[in-house]
Every structure is written in C-alpha cells, then in structure tokens.
Amino acid sequence: MIYIIRHFKVKDNSKIWLNSREFNDWVEKYDLFELEYLNIYLPSKIDKAYVSSQTRAIKTAEHLGIAYQISDLLAEVKSKAFINTNIRLPKWLWLFVDRVLWYFNVTSYENRDMTHKRINEFIEKIDLSDDIFIITHGFFMKQIVRKFKSLGFLGDFDIRPKNGKIYELAKR
Amino acid sequence: MKPQFEIKDINIINDILASDEYDSVKIKSHRILF
C-alpha cells in the first residue's frame, strides 16, 4: 500500500503583482511560511516514510511524529520567472507560464522529462511491496500518482490534492 | 504525424492548479472577487 499526502497548507499573505525578481524571491520564501497544522489519523502500519526535502514537507512530518527519510527526489517542481523584467505580473500568470514551459520541456531548469526521471529514480529506490508513506507537494504529487497508476496501483484522488489528506494507492 | 497538443494534455491545467504556490493565488483571487 502507498499512502501519499500533500504537506499542510501554507499561510501566505504576500502581494499578487510581482516583477521577476520578486517572484523568484517569493518562491524561495514560500517554503518558509507558517503552516496550517491539522491533526490527522495515520495508517496503522507504515514500513517506511519518505518526505520531500522542502521545509513545509519536513514540518508536516515533524507534526505527524513519524520516523522518516528525507528525499530531494520528492521536492516540488521548482518555479522560476520565465523572463527578467521589472514589469509586475500577477503571480498566477508567472506560475501558469512557467508550468506550461515545463510541460513542453523548454525550461532551462527542471523540465517534464527531468521530473519523470527523478520519479523513476525514486521508485527504483523503494520497495513497492512495503507500506509506504510519502509526504510531498501538489504538482509533483499529480505526476508521481500518474506513474504509480501506470504501475498498476489504484486509488481515489481529488483533481487537486488537498493539504493534509491521506490518499491511498493499492496494488491491483 | 503526431499532433503538438492532444486532448489528454488538458491534464496540465489541473496539474498547474494543483501546484503548491498556486494555492496562495487562489486565496488572493477569492479575496478580490468576494
């Protein structure tokens, strides 16, 4: 069984309109913002827990009080300004364009192929017959769940993963 | 010849909306609208 959870929700009150430098700064700071902690019931049996190396995921693991291993392979796909400009654009536009460029593999940093490569690398490192608990991030979770499903795992998921909700994937 | 963009590619929209940083965008948008 694979249990996968998106870290607790980040409290973010930063401004909407950002230039490229402000956007990149915000992405860095985003990982350090406070979280909205929840008390949730954990699965009765967890053989191994893997947690993204980003602060918000580690804080989530600490709050849950589980023994875990940190993995860079579970980090959120990095967002970065697609142009350098002093013109302020809405955050959603920065994010949207950046992800579309990721999808078409035209980003100079992490692109879609690279994300799939690290997903494969992670899956090669784990034993899929164990009961595994994973703490990761929204966009990355969508990608890794798609991969697990292609390997024969089944489970119900929300279109947009909810923070702090445990999703289960069972082998068919 | 394979088309550049297929219907299944629309999944990227939901993936984008699931991005961590996009969460705060949604919160702010709601504040503006309501």
Side-chain angles (χ1 to χ4, degrees), chain B:
Chain B
M1 190 177 162
K2 196 183 172 199
Q4 292 277 308
F5 196 85
E6 297 173 13
I7 293 296
K8 69 176 174 60
D9 294 334
I10 206 76
N11 282 332
I12 185 62
I13 305 294
N14 283 324
D15 291 6
I16 291 169
L17 298 178
S19 296
D20 276 3
E21 291 87 352
Y22 214 90
D23 258 0
S24 62
V25 176
K26 280 186 283 179
I27 292 166
K28 287 284 184 184
S29 305
H30 293 162
R31 280 182 189 162
I32 291 167
L33 288 171
F34 306 107

Side-chain angles (χ1 to χ4, degrees), chain A residues 36-66:
Chain A
E36 292 175 14
Y37 292 101
L38 299 171
N39 290 320
I40 56 173
Y41 291 103
L42 292 172
S44 54
K45 182 174 173 281
I46 297 174
D47 294 320
K48 277 183 182 156
Y50 299 93
V51 177
S52 153
S53 53
Q54 285 175 282
T55 308
R56 52 194 188 268
I58 294 171
K59 279 179 170 176
T60 300
E62 288 293 327
H63 181 81
L64 296 177
I66 52 170

Side-chain angles (χ1 to χ4, degrees), chain A:
Chain A
M1 185 78 92
I2 296 169
Y3 303 99
I4 188 161
I5 177 176
R6 184 180 186 187
H7 62 80
F8 293 131
K9 195 171 186 68
V10 173
K11 293 179 187 173
D12 175 21
N13 292 311
S14 56
K15 57 186 179 180
I16 301 167
W17 294 81
L18 305 170
N19 64 30
S20 57
R21 185 184 50 77
E22 290 168 338
F23 176 77
N24 289 333
D25 287 348
W26 169 69
V27 170
E28 294 301 321
K29 285 178 191 160
Y30 185 85
D31 194 36
L32 303 173
F33 291 148
E34 279 302 305
L35 304 181
E36 292 175 14
Y37 292 101
L38 299 171
N39 290 320
I40 56 173
Y41 291 103
L42 292 172
S44 54
K45 182 174 173 281
I46 297 174
D47 294 320
K48 277 183 182 156
Y50 299 93
V51 177
S52 153
S53 53
Q54 285 175 282
T55 308
R56 52 194 188 268
I58 294 171
K59 279 179 170 176
T60 300
E62 288 293 327
H63 181 81
L64 296 177
I66 52 170
Y68 59 90
Q69 291 179 32
I70 294 172
S71 176
D72 288 333
L73 299 173
L74 295 171
E76 180 64 302
V77 175
K78 193 172 172 62
S79 291
K80 206 172 166 185
F82 56 92
I83 46 165
N84 287 323
T85 177
N86 281 325
I87 298 169
R88 289 196 163 89
L89 301 173
K91 265 192 279 193
W92 69 262
L93 185 61
W94 284 113
L95 288 165
F96 192 87
V97 174
D98 181 61
R99 292 298 194 225
V100 171
L101 295 175
W102 168 90
Y103 185 78
F104 288 106
N105 279 318
V106 288
T107 42
S108 56
Y109 39 101
E110 183 170 0
N111 59 33
R112 185 156 63 127
D113 287 346
M114 290 157 82
T115 304
H116 289 173
K117 197 176 161 195
R118 72 176 160 107
I119 288 172
N120 289 335
E121 208 178 317
F122 175 74
I123 289 174
E124 280 170 19
K125 285 185 178 181
I126 61 175
D127 184 348
L128 290 173
S129 60
D130 281 344
D131 289 322
I132 293 168
F133 191 81
I134 295 170
I135 302 178
T136 185
H137 308 269
F139 188 78
F140 183 78
M141 190 165 158
K142 296 280 288 185
Q143 314 309 316
I144 199 168
V145 164
R146 211 166 276 141
K147 177 67 182 179
F148 282 134
K149 287 188 171 177
S150 76
L151 295 173
F153 284 86
L154 291 174
D156 290 330
F157 276 81
D158 296 311
I159 293 172
R160 294 173 211 162
K162 292 184 169 57
N163 297 89
K165 178 177 175 181
I166 300 173
Y167 295 94
E168 297 180 9
L169 284 161
K171 189 79 177 172
R172 189 161 42 198

